[in-house]
Amino acid sequence: METQTAKILDGKALSAKIQQSLSAQIQELQPKFGRPPGLAVLMVGDNPASAAYVRGKERACEKVGIASFGKHFPTQTSLAELEDTIAALNNDPQVDGILVQLPLPEHLDSVKLLNQIAPEKDVDGLHPVNMGRLVRSEEGLRSCTPAGVMRLLEEYQIPVQGKQAVVLGRSILVGKPLALMLLEANATVTVAHSRSHEIKSITQSADILIAAVGRNGLVTGEMLKPGAIVVDVGINRVVDASGKDRLIGDVHFESASKVAEYITPVPGGIGPMTVAMLLQNTVKSYLTRF
């Protein structure tokens, strides 16, 4: 029986290393600046997965010395009330970053709300101004998950330039910004999605394959080029036979890890990197204020 040959891209370890470095930076700067960096996370409703993510972000902030200005709103909160809250946070000198936890309840227009965030405080990198800067390869706050993917590849010294990169998924959160970041790093990029034909032949051409679709086990070992770099951005909750729920990715880890050279685990791969990039964006925004 073939055993796993792929080396693990350990996002958890790299995230801890980045957080340690941010913590040291904040300890040094806080006495000079007279306050810590501040992050406001807005959550609407009681989606249990969102609540868990928000708690994780707040704990990470506490660990590195970022002040949390979390606000939790009931499900029926109006768009106007949330817009007022964002306007106040835009003007709050204690707050460097503002993040709206998605998904929002159905009656709220998330695009309209995200567009209210001042671009320099948009630590999720989703404002059209920051997206536009990414398109033009200009300095700006970058989307956390794709930035985390790029940072992880860099840490393991995986060359991107000239490589065939395939991104599965075209969401505004991951697929599109990640394709732009890979282009910026001089990869040849293909974006495949639910309407693409011959997915298997597309994935088999990839030196670097990034799965960001949200369908568990979509990518199997036979869909990969031997020696490919496989990055799994998918986070899917499944309930096993005993009734316990667990997280699995878009990649069928067992079969893929026999073919790939490097692979990210789920959990412990890109999830922790997203949080690390959020903290890094908050500190970056903090530094521009002084």
Side-chain angles (χ1 to χ4, degrees):
M1 196 185 98
E2 285 182 84
T3 53
Q4 178 186 326
T5 57
K7 297 188 271 292
I8 294 293
L9 294 169
D10 189 342
K12 198 173 174 185
L14 176 54
S15 176
K17 177 177 154 181
I18 291 167
Q19 289 184 42
Q20 217 169 0
S21 144
L22 289 172
S23 178
Q25 199 180 356
I26 292 166
Q27 276 180 344
E28 190 190 326
L29 293 172
Q30 190 174 331
K32 297 179 195 167
F33 290 1
R35 67 167 181 85
L39 174 66
V41 179
L42 308 187
M43 184 179 148
V44 186
D46 46 17
N47 177 325
S50 291
Y53 291 141
V54 168
R55 274 198 305 277
K57 285 166 185 172
E58 287 171 349
R59 274 199 301 270
C61 281
E62 199 179 318
K63 216 161 104 187
V64 300
I66 292 173
S68 274
F69 296 89
K71 293 185 186 291
H72 190 168
F73 298 88
T75 304
Q76 293 313 318
T77 305
S78 69
L79 187 68
E81 188 182 337
L82 293 166
E83 286 179 330
D84 289 347
T85 302
I86 288 172
L89 292 168
N90 282 340
N91 294 316
D92 187 336
Q94 304 289 310
V95 174
D96 302 289
I98 303 167
L99 176 142
V100 175
Q101 183 66 39
L102 300 173
L104 289 170
E106 285 190 354
H107 69 283
L108 294 170
D109 181 340
S110 61
V111 174
K112 199 167 180 190
L113 206 55
L114 294 171
N115 289 356
Q116 301 295 318
I117 298 172
E120 67 277 9
K121 292 191 178 187
D122 163 41
V123 284
D124 239 353
L126 295 175
H127 192 283
V129 168
N130 287 321
M131 283 285 183
R133 286 177 180 148
L134 171 59
V135 170
R136 297 169 62 103
S137 292
E138 293 173 359
E139 187 64 28
L141 294 168
R142 298 275 170 100
S143 274
C144 301
T145 300
V149 171
M150 298 305 289
R151 180 68 184 81
L152 190 58
L153 294 174
E154 183 192 313
E155 180 72 10
Y156 282 84
Q157 298 178 344
I158 289 166
V160 176
Q161 180 162 315
K163 298 293 183 185
Q164 294 283 345
V166 171
V167 179
L168 288 180
R170 53 176 169 180
S171 73
I172 200 73
L173 280 171
V174 183
K176 284 177 184 165
L178 184 50
L180 288 163
M181 290 177 198
L182 287 160
L183 273 175
E184 188 179 48
N186 299 317
T188 301
V189 182
T190 303
V191 180
H193 45 80
S194 58
R195 303 284 191 278
S196 300
H197 296 290
E198 305 288 340
I199 289 277
K200 188 173 169 183
S201 68
I202 298 172
T203 58
Q204 284 176 338
S205 73
D207 300 312
I208 301 169
L209 178 74
I210 292 123
V213 181
R215 274 179 56 198
N216 72 52
L218 173 73
V219 178
T220 58
E222 61 175 27
M223 295 169 71
L224 303 175
K225 175 197 263 192
I229 312 299
V230 179
V231 178
D232 191 350
V233 183
I235 297 179
N236 309 291
R237 274 176 199 277
V238 294
V239 179
D240 63 21
S242 66
K244 279 173 70 172
D245 73 339
R246 59 192 182 99
L247 295 180
I248 61 172
D250 289 352
V251 176
H252 184 273
F253 186 87
E254 269 156 56
S255 62
S257 60
K258 289 170 186 162
V259 184
E261 183 186 356
Y262 280 99
I263 192 167
T264 59
V266 177
I270 298 304
M273 289 305 301
T274 299
V275 174
M277 295 297 106
L278 171 66
L279 303 177
Q280 191 169 289
N281 275 349
T282 305
V283 172
K284 188 174 177 179
S285 174
Y286 171 67
L287 290 170
T288 63
R289 255 167 259 297
F290 295 93

mmCIF file of all heavy atoms in Angstrom, residues 133-168:
data_model
loop_
_atom_site.group_PDB
_atom_site.id
_atom_site.type_symbol
_atom_site.label_atom_id
_atom_site.label_comp_id
_atom_site.label_asym_id
_atom_site.label_seq_id
_atom_site.Cartn_x
_atom_site.Cartn_y
_atom_site.Cartn_z
ATOM 1 N N ARG A 133 -6.450 48.331 -5.780
ATOM 2 C CA ARG A 133 -4.995 48.427 -5.557
ATOM 3 C C ARG A 133 -4.321 47.091 -5.847
ATOM 4 O O ARG A 133 -3.218 47.043 -6.388
ATOM 5 C CB ARG A 133 -4.711 48.870 -4.123
ATOM 6 C CG ARG A 133 -5.011 50.344 -3.896
ATOM 7 C CD ARG A 133 -4.798 50.747 -2.439
ATOM 8 N NE ARG A 133 -5.091 52.166 -2.285
ATOM 9 C CZ ARG A 133 -5.603 52.703 -1.179
ATOM 10 N NH1 ARG A 133 -5.896 51.937 -0.139
ATOM 11 N NH2 ARG A 133 -5.835 53.994 -1.111
ATOM 12 N N LEU A 134 -4.999 46.002 -5.475
ATOM 13 C CA LEU A 134 -4.455 44.671 -5.763
ATOM 14 C C LEU A 134 -4.374 44.446 -7.275
ATOM 15 O O LEU A 134 -3.356 43.964 -7.782
ATOM 16 C CB LEU A 134 -5.324 43.593 -5.098
ATOM 17 C CG LEU A 134 -5.030 42.132 -5.468
ATOM 18 C CD1 LEU A 134 -3.594 41.748 -5.129
ATOM 19 C CD2 LEU A 134 -6.005 41.194 -4.765
ATOM 20 N N VAL A 135 -5.424 44.817 -7.999
ATOM 21 C CA VAL A 135 -5.431 44.665 -9.462
ATOM 22 C C VAL A 135 -4.252 45.420 -10.076
ATOM 23 O O VAL A 135 -3.619 44.951 -11.021
ATOM 24 C CB VAL A 135 -6.773 45.174 -10.058
ATOM 25 C CG1 VAL A 135 -6.707 45.255 -11.577
ATOM 26 C CG2 VAL A 135 -7.925 44.261 -9.644
ATOM 27 N N ARG A 136 -3.941 46.580 -9.508
ATOM 28 C CA ARG A 136 -2.862 47.419 -10.050
ATOM 29 C C ARG A 136 -1.505 47.136 -9.400
ATOM 30 O O ARG A 136 -0.538 47.854 -9.638
ATOM 31 C CB ARG A 136 -3.222 48.893 -9.840
ATOM 32 C CG ARG A 136 -4.475 49.331 -10.592
ATOM 33 C CD ARG A 136 -4.918 50.713 -10.129
ATOM 34 N NE ARG A 136 -3.878 51.698 -10.416
ATOM 35 C CZ ARG A 136 -3.925 52.564 -11.438
ATOM 36 N NH1 ARG A 136 -4.968 52.566 -12.250
ATOM 37 N NH2 ARG A 136 -2.953 53.418 -11.643
ATOM 38 N N SER A 137 -1.424 46.103 -8.543
ATOM 39 C CA SER A 137 -0.186 45.764 -7.803
ATOM 40 C C SER A 137 0.337 46.940 -6.986
ATOM 41 O O SER A 137 1.536 47.167 -6.883
ATOM 42 C CB SER A 137 0.915 45.288 -8.761
ATOM 43 O OG SER A 137 0.560 44.055 -9.307
ATOM 44 N N GLU A 138 -0.603 47.693 -6.400
ATOM 45 C CA GLU A 138 -0.213 48.815 -5.545
ATOM 46 C C GLU A 138 -0.283 48.393 -4.077
ATOM 47 O O GLU A 138 -0.944 47.429 -3.726
ATOM 48 C CB GLU A 138 -1.154 50.007 -5.782
ATOM 49 C CG GLU A 138 -1.009 50.622 -7.168
ATOM 50 C CD GLU A 138 -2.051 51.695 -7.472
ATOM 51 O OE1 GLU A 138 -2.913 51.972 -6.612
ATOM 52 O OE2 GLU A 138 -1.996 52.231 -8.581
ATOM 53 N N GLU A 139 0.383 49.170 -3.250
ATOM 54 C CA GLU A 139 0.388 48.934 -1.808
ATOM 55 C C GLU A 139 -1.040 49.095 -1.263
ATOM 56 O O GLU A 139 -1.756 50.006 -1.649
ATOM 57 C CB GLU A 139 1.332 49.973 -1.169
ATOM 58 C CG GLU A 139 1.590 49.782 0.304
ATOM 59 C CD GLU A 139 2.308 48.491 0.658
ATOM 60 O OE1 GLU A 139 3.074 47.957 -0.178
ATOM 61 O OE2 GLU A 139 2.091 48.010 1.782
ATOM 62 N N GLY A 140 -1.453 48.216 -0.376
ATOM 63 C CA GLY A 140 -2.790 48.331 0.225
ATOM 64 C C GLY A 140 -3.052 47.130 1.107
ATOM 65 O O GLY A 140 -2.241 46.213 1.180
ATOM 66 N N LEU A 141 -4.191 47.146 1.797
ATOM 67 C CA LEU A 141 -4.552 46.011 2.659
ATOM 68 C C LEU A 141 -5.071 44.880 1.774
ATOM 69 O O LEU A 141 -5.954 45.085 0.951
ATOM 70 C CB LEU A 141 -5.603 46.448 3.682
ATOM 71 C CG LEU A 141 -5.106 47.487 4.707
ATOM 72 C CD1 LEU A 141 -6.280 48.074 5.486
ATOM 73 C CD2 LEU A 141 -4.085 46.885 5.662
ATOM 74 N N ARG A 142 -4.504 43.694 1.957
ATOM 75 C CA ARG A 142 -4.823 42.554 1.098
ATOM 76 C C ARG A 142 -5.752 41.585 1.823
ATOM 77 O O ARG A 142 -5.632 41.386 3.033
ATOM 78 C CB ARG A 142 -3.524 41.807 0.739
ATOM 79 C CG ARG A 142 -2.511 42.669 -0.059
ATOM 80 C CD ARG A 142 -2.866 42.601 -1.515
ATOM 81 N NE ARG A 142 -2.162 43.536 -2.377
ATOM 82 C CZ ARG A 142 -1.113 43.218 -3.125
ATOM 83 N NH1 ARG A 142 -0.595 42.005 -3.068
ATOM 84 N NH2 ARG A 142 -0.592 44.109 -3.942
ATOM 85 N N SER A 143 -6.620 40.935 1.053
ATOM 86 C CA SER A 143 -7.524 39.906 1.597
ATOM 87 C C SER A 143 -6.747 38.876 2.404
ATOM 88 O O SER A 143 -5.733 38.358 1.932
ATOM 89 C CB SER A 143 -8.193 39.168 0.436
ATOM 90 O OG SER A 143 -9.328 39.839 0.034
ATOM 91 N N CYS A 144 -7.254 38.557 3.597
ATOM 92 C CA CYS A 144 -6.474 37.757 4.557
ATOM 93 C C CYS A 144 -6.207 36.320 4.103
ATOM 94 O O CYS A 144 -5.081 35.838 4.218
ATOM 95 C CB CYS A 144 -7.184 37.733 5.905
ATOM 96 S SG CYS A 144 -7.415 39.368 6.595
ATOM 97 N N THR A 145 -7.229 35.631 3.603
ATOM 98 C CA THR A 145 -7.017 34.215 3.254
ATOM 99 C C THR A 145 -6.044 34.063 2.085
ATOM 100 O O THR A 145 -5.061 33.326 2.197
ATOM 101 C CB THR A 145 -8.359 33.505 2.993
ATOM 102 O OG1 THR A 145 -9.149 33.600 4.188
ATOM 103 C CG2 THR A 145 -8.157 32.046 2.647
ATOM 104 N N PRO A 146 -6.253 34.772 0.958
ATOM 105 C CA PRO A 146 -5.276 34.650 -0.131
ATOM 106 C C PRO A 146 -3.872 35.110 0.265
ATOM 107 O O PRO A 146 -2.883 34.487 -0.122
ATOM 108 C CB PRO A 146 -5.843 35.526 -1.246
ATOM 109 C CG PRO A 146 -7.153 35.999 -0.820
ATOM 110 C CD PRO A 146 -7.411 35.583 0.580
ATOM 111 N N ALA A 147 -3.803 36.181 1.062
ATOM 112 C CA ALA A 147 -2.477 36.653 1.518
ATOM 113 C C ALA A 147 -1.810 35.576 2.380
ATOM 114 O O ALA A 147 -0.594 35.370 2.309
ATOM 115 C CB ALA A 147 -2.607 37.959 2.301
ATOM 116 N N GLY A 148 -2.620 34.857 3.166
ATOM 117 C CA GLY A 148 -2.100 33.762 3.991
ATOM 118 C C GLY A 148 -1.563 32.614 3.161
ATOM 119 O O GLY A 148 -0.537 32.007 3.485
ATOM 120 N N VAL A 149 -2.242 32.314 2.038
ATOM 121 C CA VAL A 149 -1.773 31.271 1.111
ATOM 122 C C VAL A 149 -0.400 31.662 0.561
ATOM 123 O O VAL A 149 0.545 30.861 0.562
ATOM 124 C CB VAL A 149 -2.780 31.073 -0.053
ATOM 125 C CG1 VAL A 149 -2.189 30.155 -1.122
ATOM 126 C CG2 VAL A 149 -4.104 30.495 0.467
ATOM 127 N N MET A 150 -0.278 32.908 0.097
ATOM 128 C CA MET A 150 0.976 33.368 -0.510
ATOM 129 C C MET A 150 2.112 33.363 0.518
ATOM 130 O O MET A 150 3.241 32.972 0.218
ATOM 131 C CB MET A 150 0.805 34.779 -1.095
ATOM 132 C CG MET A 150 -0.222 34.877 -2.215
ATOM 133 S SD MET A 150 0.049 33.754 -3.609
ATOM 134 C CE MET A 150 1.513 34.481 -4.368
ATOM 135 N N ARG A 151 1.795 33.765 1.744
ATOM 136 C CA ARG A 151 2.829 33.815 2.805
ATOM 137 C C ARG A 151 3.311 32.408 3.158
ATOM 138 O O ARG A 151 4.491 32.182 3.427
ATOM 139 C CB ARG A 151 2.236 34.531 4.021
ATOM 140 C CG ARG A 151 3.156 34.671 5.216
ATOM 141 C CD ARG A 151 4.321 35.621 4.955
ATOM 142 N NE ARG A 151 5.207 35.640 6.095
ATOM 143 C CZ ARG A 151 6.144 34.739 6.359
ATOM 144 N NH1 ARG A 151 6.319 33.699 5.555
ATOM 145 N NH2 ARG A 151 6.914 34.845 7.437
ATOM 146 N N LEU A 152 2.383 31.439 3.140
ATOM 147 C CA LEU A 152 2.743 30.053 3.458
ATOM 148 C C LEU A 152 3.646 29.473 2.363
ATOM 149 O O LEU A 152 4.634 28.788 2.654
ATOM 150 C CB LEU A 152 1.465 29.221 3.629
ATOM 151 C CG LEU A 152 1.596 27.809 4.201
ATOM 152 C CD1 LEU A 152 2.254 27.803 5.579
ATOM 153 C CD2 LEU A 152 0.235 27.121 4.292
ATOM 154 N N LEU A 153 3.336 29.743 1.102
ATOM 155 C CA LEU A 153 4.188 29.276 -0.003
ATOM 156 C C LEU A 153 5.594 29.882 0.112
ATOM 157 O O LEU A 153 6.596 29.207 -0.106
ATOM 158 C CB LEU A 153 3.558 29.649 -1.358
ATOM 159 C CG LEU A 153 2.233 28.958 -1.720
ATOM 160 C CD1 LEU A 153 1.664 29.534 -3.015
ATOM 161 C CD2 LEU A 153 2.393 27.445 -1.844
ATOM 162 N N GLU A 154 5.623 31.155 0.480
ATOM 163 C CA GLU A 154 6.903 31.864 0.626
ATOM 164 C C GLU A 154 7.736 31.250 1.756
ATOM 165 O O GLU A 154 8.941 31.035 1.618
ATOM 166 C CB GLU A 154 6.588 33.336 0.930
ATOM 167 C CG GLU A 154 7.766 34.258 1.044
ATOM 168 C CD GLU A 154 7.331 35.606 1.628
ATOM 169 O OE1 GLU A 154 6.313 36.177 1.167
ATOM 170 O OE2 GLU A 154 7.995 36.072 2.567
ATOM 171 N N GLU A 155 7.081 30.939 2.864
ATOM 172 C CA GLU A 155 7.782 30.386 4.031
ATOM 173 C C GLU A 155 8.483 29.077 3.681
ATOM 174 O O GLU A 155 9.585 28.794 4.156
ATOM 175 C CB GLU A 155 6.771 30.155 5.163
ATOM 176 C CG GLU A 155 7.359 29.581 6.437
ATOM 177 C CD GLU A 155 8.215 30.571 7.216
ATOM 178 O OE1 GLU A 155 8.232 31.774 6.894
ATOM 179 O OE2 GLU A 155 8.878 30.119 8.167
ATOM 180 N N TYR A 156 7.828 28.269 2.853
ATOM 181 C CA TYR A 156 8.402 26.967 2.475
ATOM 182 C C TYR A 156 9.244 27.056 1.199
ATOM 183 O O TYR A 156 9.629 26.043 0.628
ATOM 184 C CB TYR A 156 7.288 25.922 2.330
ATOM 185 C CG TYR A 156 6.803 25.412 3.672
ATOM 186 C CD1 TYR A 156 5.849 26.114 4.400
ATOM 187 C CD2 TYR A 156 7.344 24.255 4.239
ATOM 188 C CE1 TYR A 156 5.423 25.667 5.645
ATOM 189 C CE2 TYR A 156 6.921 23.796 5.479
ATOM 190 C CZ TYR A 156 5.956 24.512 6.179
ATOM 191 O OH TYR A 156 5.547 24.065 7.426
ATOM 192 N N GLN A 157 9.500 28.301 0.792
ATOM 193 C CA GLN A 157 10.356 28.579 -0.381
ATOM 194 C C GLN A 157 9.892 27.810 -1.618
ATOM 195 O O GLN A 157 10.694 27.219 -2.350
ATOM 196 C CB GLN A 157 11.825 28.280 -0.049
ATOM 197 C CG GLN A 157 12.330 29.171 1.080
ATOM 198 C CD GLN A 157 13.758 28.869 1.480
ATOM 199 O OE1 GLN A 157 14.313 27.819 1.154
ATOM 200 N NE2 GLN A 157 14.377 29.774 2.195
ATOM 201 N N ILE A 158 8.583 27.829 -1.817
ATOM 202 C CA ILE A 158 8.010 27.163 -2.990
ATOM 203 C C ILE A 158 7.971 28.179 -4.131
ATOM 204 O O ILE A 158 7.315 29.225 -4.003
ATOM 205 C CB ILE A 158 6.602 26.623 -2.666
ATOM 206 C CG1 ILE A 158 6.745 25.428 -1.706
ATOM 207 C CG2 ILE A 158 5.854 26.223 -3.931
ATOM 208 C CD1 ILE A 158 5.477 25.003 -1.033
ATOM 209 N N PRO A 159 8.703 27.930 -5.206
ATOM 210 C CA PRO A 159 8.731 28.921 -6.283
ATOM 211 C C PRO A 159 7.378 29.011 -6.990
ATOM 212 O O PRO A 159 6.737 27.991 -7.259
ATOM 213 C CB PRO A 159 9.822 28.407 -7.229
ATOM 214 C CG PRO A 159 10.015 26.976 -6.881
ATOM 215 C CD PRO A 159 9.512 26.742 -5.499
ATOM 216 N N VAL A 160 6.958 30.243 -7.254
ATOM 217 C CA VAL A 160 5.676 30.489 -7.912
ATOM 218 C C VAL A 160 5.911 30.983 -9.346
ATOM 219 O O VAL A 160 5.147 30.665 -10.252
ATOM 220 C CB VAL A 160 4.852 31.523 -7.088
ATOM 221 C CG1 VAL A 160 3.559 31.890 -7.792
ATOM 222 C CG2 VAL A 160 4.553 30.971 -5.684
ATOM 223 N N GLN A 161 6.972 31.735 -9.518
ATOM 224 C CA GLN A 161 7.252 32.335 -10.827
ATOM 225 C C GLN A 161 7.345 31.285 -11.941
ATOM 226 O O GLN A 161 8.039 30.280 -11.799
ATOM 227 C CB GLN A 161 8.573 33.113 -10.749
ATOM 228 C CG GLN A 161 8.940 33.778 -12.066
ATOM 229 C CD GLN A 161 9.972 34.862 -11.875
ATOM 230 O OE1 GLN A 161 9.878 35.670 -10.977
ATOM 231 N NE2 GLN A 161 10.983 34.885 -12.731
ATOM 232 N N GLY A 162 6.587 31.519 -13.002
ATOM 233 C CA GLY A 162 6.635 30.626 -14.164
ATOM 234 C C GLY A 162 5.854 29.332 -14.007
ATOM 235 O O GLY A 162 5.758 28.537 -14.944
ATOM 236 N N LYS A 163 5.296 29.098 -12.808
ATOM 237 C CA LYS A 163 4.581 27.835 -12.568
ATOM 238 C C LYS A 163 3.134 27.927 -13.073
ATOM 239 O O LYS A 163 2.550 29.002 -13.149
ATOM 240 C CB LYS A 163 4.555 27.505 -11.066
ATOM 241 C CG LYS A 163 5.927 27.306 -10.447
ATOM 242 C CD LYS A 163 6.610 26.076 -10.975
ATOM 243 C CE LYS A 163 7.955 25.847 -10.305
ATOM 244 N NZ LYS A 163 8.669 24.730 -10.885
ATOM 245 N N GLN A 164 2.559 26.766 -13.367
ATOM 246 C CA GLN A 164 1.134 26.684 -13.711
ATOM 247 C C GLN A 164 0.350 26.604 -12.402
ATOM 248 O O GLN A 164 0.474 25.621 -11.670
ATOM 249 C CB GLN A 164 0.855 25.406 -14.526
ATOM 250 C CG GLN A 164 1.493 25.369 -15.893
ATOM 251 C CD GLN A 164 0.758 26.230 -16.912
ATOM 252 O OE1 GLN A 164 -0.377 26.649 -16.695
ATOM 253 N NE2 GLN A 164 1.422 26.504 -18.020
ATOM 254 N N ALA A 165 -0.419 27.650 -12.114
ATOM 255 C CA ALA A 165 -1.232 27.654 -10.894
ATOM 256 C C ALA A 165 -2.700 27.547 -11.286
ATOM 257 O O ALA A 165 -3.168 28.259 -12.172
ATOM 258 C CB ALA A 165 -0.991 28.931 -10.103
ATOM 259 N N VAL A 166 -3.412 26.643 -10.637
ATOM 260 C CA VAL A 166 -4.851 26.514 -10.879
ATOM 261 C C VAL A 166 -5.584 26.847 -9.586
ATOM 262 O O VAL A 166 -5.287 26.288 -8.524
ATOM 263 C CB VAL A 166 -5.227 25.091 -11.359
ATOM 264 C CG1 VAL A 166 -6.753 24.914 -11.400
ATOM 265 C CG2 VAL A 166 -4.630 24.819 -12.738
ATOM 266 N N VAL A 167 -6.531 27.791 -9.677
ATOM 267 C CA VAL A 167 -7.368 28.160 -8.534
ATOM 268 C C VAL A 167 -8.762 27.609 -8.808
ATOM 269 O O VAL A 167 -9.379 27.939 -9.822
ATOM 270 C CB VAL A 167 -7.431 29.695 -8.364
ATOM 271 C CG1 VAL A 167 -8.320 30.062 -7.173
ATOM 272 C CG2 VAL A 167 -6.036 30.292 -8.197
ATOM 273 N N LEU A 168 -9.227 26.738 -7.930
ATOM 274 C CA LEU A 168 -10.598 26.214 -8.037
ATOM 275 C C LEU A 168 -11.494 27.098 -7.174
ATOM 276 O O LEU A 168 -11.363 27.111 -5.959
ATOM 277 C CB LEU A 168 -10.667 24.777 -7.517
ATOM 278 C CG LEU A 168 -10.031 23.669 -8.361
ATOM 279 C CD1 LEU A 168 -10.203 22.333 -7.669
ATOM 280 C CD2 LEU A 168 -10.646 23.608 -9.751
#
